[in-house]
Amino acid sequence: MRQQSMAISPPSDLILDVAMAADPDTLRASVEKLRSIASARVAAQMQLSRDNFSSMQQTGLAIDSAGKSSEAPNPSFKKFEAFMLQSFIESMFTGDNQAVFGQGVAGDYWKSMMAEAIANKMSDAGGIGVARMLQVQSEKKAKSEAAIYDPATPAIFNDQNHIHERDSNVILYQIERQLIQKQLKATENVEETRQS
């Protein structure tokens, strides 16, 4: 049996045909103009994004400095933020990434380690502000508790309902702290196990 060969004649590239027919000097000038327009657009977009980022950053710094102490956030708050970021990052690693991390339990383990390393670096670099926010709230709570137990404060807390509400808030706060400390100890134990 004899095979018949088919010839395909694709249509020509209209842009290339026009460019080939044009004057070389005009072509060069057009190409340079298009490149300058494209680079100007990219530069303008980058400057706009830098300006937006710096203005947001300055606004954030102004807000933070209004109620923020000069010291760095508590290490336990930074660890909590890193733990939170780790769960966010792990959720971003969904899909078919077996080629990167491997399959099965080992792949899940490597994916978790990668997410933890990224989260720790993000938290060390300042994170997303959760640790600072917790630090500010902790300082406010400490100041308000100091004012409540200060004998110089007016006796407006003699109402039994208010005392009961304050006591339940203190209990909830203590439970939250215990849960966070347990989570941090569990995370430290996992880190120690990985390092050994």
Side-chain angles (χ1 to χ4, degrees), residues 177-194:
R177 289 188 67 194
Q178 289 173 355
L179 288 173
I180 290 172
Q181 287 174 350
K182 284 181 184 178
Q183 183 62 41
L184 289 174
K185 286 180 184 178
T187 305
E188 288 173 355
N189 291 339
V190 169
E191 287 176 6
E192 290 173 4
T193 305
R194 286 182 184 166

Side-chain angles (χ1 to χ4, degrees), residues 15-189:
I15 308 269
L16 186 59
D17 288 345
V18 170
M20 296 298 247
D23 180 36
D25 293 333
T26 309
L27 176 64
R28 263 189 242 110
S30 298
V31 169
E32 289 300 319
K33 186 173 182 179
L34 287 173
R35 285 184 182 153
S36 68
I37 290 171
S39 65
R41 180 181 295 161
V42 169
Q45 287 175 344
M46 288 182 67
Q47 184 62 35
L48 181 62
S49 64
R50 282 187 196 134
D51 291 344
N52 286 344
F53 181 74
S54 64
S55 68
M56 287 189 306
Q57 191 177 22
Q58 292 300 327
T59 304
L61 288 175
I63 290 171
D64 285 348
S65 63
K68 178 182 164 187
S69 66
S70 61
E71 61 189 54
N74 188 336
S76 61
F77 295 147
K78 286 179 75 173
K79 285 184 180 180
F80 176 73
E81 182 174 18
F83 177 75
M84 233 177 70
L85 287 170
Q86 179 181 353
S87 67
F88 294 159
I89 293 168
E90 278 184 29
S91 69
M92 286 189 265
F93 285 151
T94 59
D96 186 28
N97 45 13
Q98 292 177 352
V100 177
F101 298 113
Q103 297 178 354
V105 175
D108 291 341
Y109 186 73
W110 283 110
K111 184 168 57 171
S112 174
M113 285 178 57
M114 173 68 91
E116 182 180 2
I118 292 171
N120 286 336
K121 288 294 181 185
M122 286 176 69
S123 179
D124 289 343
I128 57 175
V130 174
R132 288 188 306 266
M133 190 171 52
L134 289 172
Q135 181 75 25
V136 169
Q137 287 180 352
S138 175
E139 289 172 357
K140 285 181 182 177
K141 185 152 186 76
K143 286 179 185 176
S144 69
E145 286 177 355
I148 288 173
Y149 297 116
D150 186 12
T153 37
I156 59 171
F157 297 112
N158 290 336
D159 183 12
Q160 289 296 326
N161 290 335
H162 192 72
I163 291 173
H164 179 69
E165 181 181 339
R166 185 186 68 201
D167 290 341
S168 63
N169 286 338
V170 169
I171 292 170
L172 287 174
Y173 180 68
Q174 289 173 345
I175 291 171
E176 286 175 345
R177 289 188 67 194
Q178 289 173 355
L179 288 173
I180 290 172
Q181 287 174 350
K182 284 181 184 178
Q183 183 62 41
L184 289 174
K185 286 180 184 178
T187 305
E188 288 173 355
N189 291 339

